[in-house]
Amino acid sequence: MGIRKKTNKNPPVLSHEFVIQNHADIVSCVAMVFLLGLMFEVSPHVEWVLIVEAPEETAVNYFHHGIKDLATIFFYMLVAIIMHAIIQEYVLDKINRKKHFSKTKHSKFNESGQLSAFYLFSFGWGTSILLSENFLSNPVNLWEGYPHALMPFQMKFYFICQLGYWLHALPELYFQKTKKEDIPRQLVYVFLYLVHIAGAYILNLNRLGLVLLVLHYFIELLFHVSRLVYFSNENRQMGFTIWAVLFVLGRLLTLSLSVLTVGFGLSTAENQGFDLAAGNFNVLFVRITVLAAICLTQAFMMWKFINFQLRRWREHAQAQTLKKKQVPAKSKSKKDKGEGKSTMI
């Protein structure tokens, strides 16, 4: 994220600067169109579908995914943009003005601040769903009864909000004036989130997807909180060490749960075959594709992690070398001063 400079001049209406400065207000007006629709009896059903889609026949406790979810996801993408602007303006910008960070630290602090808030909220919400649905008490629930086409309200709403949040990250690249060199990295991880979350949602692997998301969000939350603590005091780096250990364990646990659920659980399940109407995708090709996607993603993350650790060790070694060179230079200068005084005496 780039640094947004405030100017006293009012930019021209509908110019790039005008949209960037007022994007939260513009998006709020668009979101209000959806909310105002709930106040009239002309189209209450249509507007309610845009908020949460419920099947007409089984409108009690369970919901399924459908094409109308696209409108719902779009609405919550607007909500995510508004929340992003609120956190940025009323929390992060105030801290930035007090700390006077450099441009590099300013960008990383904003990124970690936004993601910490999201990961904390998503981890807490996802954990409550796992506990209420008893998915953690018995791992067999991850594949037993597949396809899990019908979801509790909280689970469906969770996936809708996840897709909405990661879609909002795309226009935020423009709103936050992200540097060109940072855009490819941002696009890669946003794309990975969208593919895996949408894949679990569409293929009715929502239970496995929820468990893996909660696990991943906890580890990412620890990293970004550690980075925020590091910005406040560079001597506090214990959080990165704990994160490094949990990151490796998290990758192993992710692979283990994926192979157990997709490779063994679904392969021995009763409902075998491809049935689009019933939401059954339990065929060999789909199982191999899912496992390949998860394994490649974990391998990519480990590769990035190893490069990150090697860069940190190199920087630490260089810092230690500079310190060692500075100490003899100081002692030598003191010695020369002492010799000068003795000769004068």
Side-chain angles (χ1 to χ4, degrees), residues 60-81:
V60 182
N61 291 320
Y62 294 96
F63 302 81
H64 60 78
H65 61 73
I67 191 65
K68 295 177 183 178
D69 287 342
L70 295 176
T72 315
I73 292 169
F74 176 75
F75 174 79
Y76 284 103
M77 181 190 73
L78 300 179
V79 175
I81 293 175

Side-chain angles (χ1 to χ4, degrees), residues 4-201:
R4 294 178 295 177
K5 296 181 179 179
K6 293 185 177 180
T7 59
N8 295 326
K9 296 181 180 180
N10 293 323
V13 179
L14 298 182
S15 64
H16 290 290
E17 194 64 31
F18 176 85
V19 173
I20 291 172
Q21 288 184 10
N22 302 282
H23 72 272
D25 298 327
I26 297 172
V27 171
S28 299
C29 293
V30 177
M32 285 299 295
V33 174
F34 291 91
L35 296 177
L36 286 173
L38 298 174
M39 300 176 63
F40 301 95
E41 297 182 0
V42 178
S43 59
H45 176 70
V46 175
E47 296 297 336
W48 178 248
V49 163
L50 295 178
I51 308 303
V52 174
E53 178 200 1
E56 295 180 359
E57 297 181 358
T58 59
V60 182
N61 291 320
Y62 294 96
F63 302 81
H64 60 78
H65 61 73
I67 191 65
K68 295 177 183 178
D69 287 342
L70 295 176
T72 315
I73 292 169
F74 176 75
F75 174 79
Y76 284 103
M77 181 190 73
L78 300 179
V79 175
I81 293 175
I82 298 170
M83 295 304 299
H84 186 114
I86 292 173
I87 295 173
Q88 184 67 44
E89 183 172 355
Y90 293 101
V91 180
L92 299 180
D93 285 348
K94 290 184 178 180
I95 298 175
N96 281 321
R97 284 193 290 267
K98 291 181 180 179
K99 294 293 184 180
H100 303 289
F101 291 127
S102 63
K103 290 185 177 181
T104 303
K105 285 187 176 181
H106 186 282
S107 176
K108 291 181 179 180
F109 178 83
N110 286 341
E111 181 184 15
S112 292
Q114 292 285 351
L115 290 176
S116 294
F118 170 72
Y119 288 143
L120 178 62
F121 175 77
S122 297
F123 170 73
W125 187 10
T127 303
S128 67
I129 298 174
L130 291 177
L131 295 175
S132 62
E133 298 297 328
N134 295 321
F135 291 154
L136 297 178
S137 60
N138 188 7
V140 178
N141 291 329
L142 296 179
W143 64 83
E144 192 175 41
Y146 182 85
H148 307 130
L150 295 177
M151 295 171 282
F153 169 77
Q154 288 292 333
M155 182 177 289
K156 177 181 172 67
F157 192 30
Y158 185 84
F159 276 92
I160 291 290
C161 291
Q162 295 299 311
L163 292 170
Y165 179 86
W166 290 112
L167 277 175
H168 111 282
L170 298 176
E172 283 295 340
L173 296 177
Y174 171 72
F175 295 145
Q176 298 296 326
K177 295 182 179 180
T178 305
K179 296 179 181 178
K180 290 184 179 180
E181 57 269 23
D182 293 336
I183 290 178
R185 176 182 64 86
Q186 300 266 6
L187 289 177
V188 167
Y189 81 72
V190 169
F191 173 77
L192 289 175
Y193 273 114
L194 288 174
V195 167
H196 285 77
I197 295 173
Y201 187 65

Side-chain angles (χ1 to χ4, degrees), residues 201-220:
Y201 187 65
I202 295 172
L203 297 176
N204 293 318
L205 294 170
N206 39 68
R207 297 181 181 181
L208 175 64
L210 179 62
V211 173
L212 297 184
L213 274 178
V214 170
L215 173 64
H216 177 73
Y217 283 166
F218 173 73
I219 298 172
E220 290 298 298

